[in-house]
Amino acid sequence: GAGRIELCAGLVEGGTTPSMGLLQVVKQCVRVPVFVMIRPRGGDFLYSDREVEVMKADIRLAKLHGADGLVFGALTEDGRIDTELCTALLAVCRPLPVTFHRAFDMVHDPLVALETLISLGFERVLTSGCDSSALEGLSLIKRLTEQVSGFVPLGGGITERNLQRILEGSTASEFHCSARSARDSGMKFRNPNVAMGASFSAPEYSIKVADVAKVRTLNAIAKNIL
């Protein structure tokens, strides 16, 4: 029931650019539009010249391998939209539609930032209302969605337990969520003394997967409201 996929790696870091191999295989398996995250690393959204080169190269490759749209965000050091960089990246993305991702939730003035993104030519902006989740940020989300109807999909901490309250409390017509659940690894031999990532990484023998049942449940809740 999902209408669009935002394809990314590194969900522990909030999403980073996926491999082109992943994009190719996903495009072979699904018919809904696939928007590719362009984010060279986790952390902030203030990028160096070399990181910008990587982003431009990844955009070109994503387009070459069938991306239906792109997703990125870039800020200045004082928490404003980096209009110069966004303009340059949008030019590389053309003619594909582009979403400004949750870098928006780190801006200094969200209402001003929203108008800036519209003027630059972004198709939508993904936000949790500049708070830890869309439920906590609902009051700002309502102001944003009233300011620009249909431009602001909701994202951040959305589950089947809170989706109805979030949609009823805003005028948003789209929402975004990972709909994940944990699946136990198939490994029989396990070494408990070694981890492949940093100390905050997910357990080695637990795999996060998109949960079909959750997607269907979320979609059914949304249809009753939208």
Side-chain angles (χ1 to χ4, degrees):
R4 182 173 63 246
I5 292 174
E6 180 181 291
L7 191 66
C8 58
L11 291 181
V12 170
E13 296 182 287
T16 54
T17 306
S19 74
M20 293 304 105
L22 177 59
L23 174 58
Q24 282 186 302
V25 173
V26 168
K27 285 292 294 181
Q28 292 168 7
C29 295
V30 303
R31 294 185 179 182
V32 297
V34 178
F35 280 44
V36 176
M37 170 80 80
I38 303 297
R39 188 180 177 215
R41 57 163 173 78
D44 63 34
F45 303 99
L46 182 66
Y47 295 113
S48 69
D49 291 344
R50 290 297 188 199
E51 288 170 334
V52 172
E53 288 181 30
V54 173
M55 295 170 81
K56 289 179 178 179
D58 281 334
I59 290 169
R60 294 186 187 103
L61 286 169
K63 290 170 69 177
L64 184 64
H65 292 290
D68 298 292
L70 288 308
V71 183
F72 69 79
L75 304 178
T76 61
E77 62 183 11
D78 59 352
R80 303 178 196 281
I81 304 297
D82 189 334
T83 55
E84 183 178 350
L85 177 51
C86 285
T87 299
L89 294 177
L90 283 166
V92 183
C93 292
R94 291 193 186 100
L96 297 183
V98 183
T99 299
F100 194 92
H101 59 41
R102 287 187 62 208
F104 182 85
D105 290 324
M106 303 299 190
V107 298
H108 177 71
D109 187 329
L111 298 178
V112 171
L114 184 62
E115 293 299 332
T116 300
L117 294 176
I118 293 168
S119 68
L120 288 173
F122 284 90
E123 184 177 89
R124 55 176 65 85
V125 55
L126 180 66
T127 181
S128 63
C130 300
D131 214 321
S132 57
S133 76
L135 188 59
E136 277 74 24
L138 196 53
S139 61
L140 177 59
I141 286 171
K142 186 174 182 180
R143 292 173 66 191
L144 294 170
T145 53
E146 288 173 349
Q147 184 175 341
V148 188
S149 178
F151 188 79
V152 185
L154 313 181
I158 293 178
T159 70
E160 59 271 32
R161 293 185 299 276
N162 62 25
L163 177 60
Q164 182 168 336
R165 280 181 290 165
I166 291 169
L167 291 178
E168 287 177 345
S170 70
T171 57
S173 58
E174 295 183 0
F175 68 96
H176 162 111
C177 57
S178 62
R180 282 178 289 173
S181 64
R183 184 183 72 199
D184 192 46
S185 167
M187 289 293 296
K188 290 184 171 57
F189 172 77
R190 303 185 179 196
N191 184 349
N193 301 316
V194 179
M196 294 295 114
S199 58
F200 62 85
S201 297
E204 298 298 327
Y205 299 105
S206 178
I207 303 167
K208 294 290 187 179
V209 296
D211 189 319
V212 173
K214 286 188 176 183
V215 174
R216 287 176 175 157
T217 299
L218 287 158
N219 202 35
I221 292 169
K223 283 184 175 179
N224 285 335
I225 299 168
L226 306 175

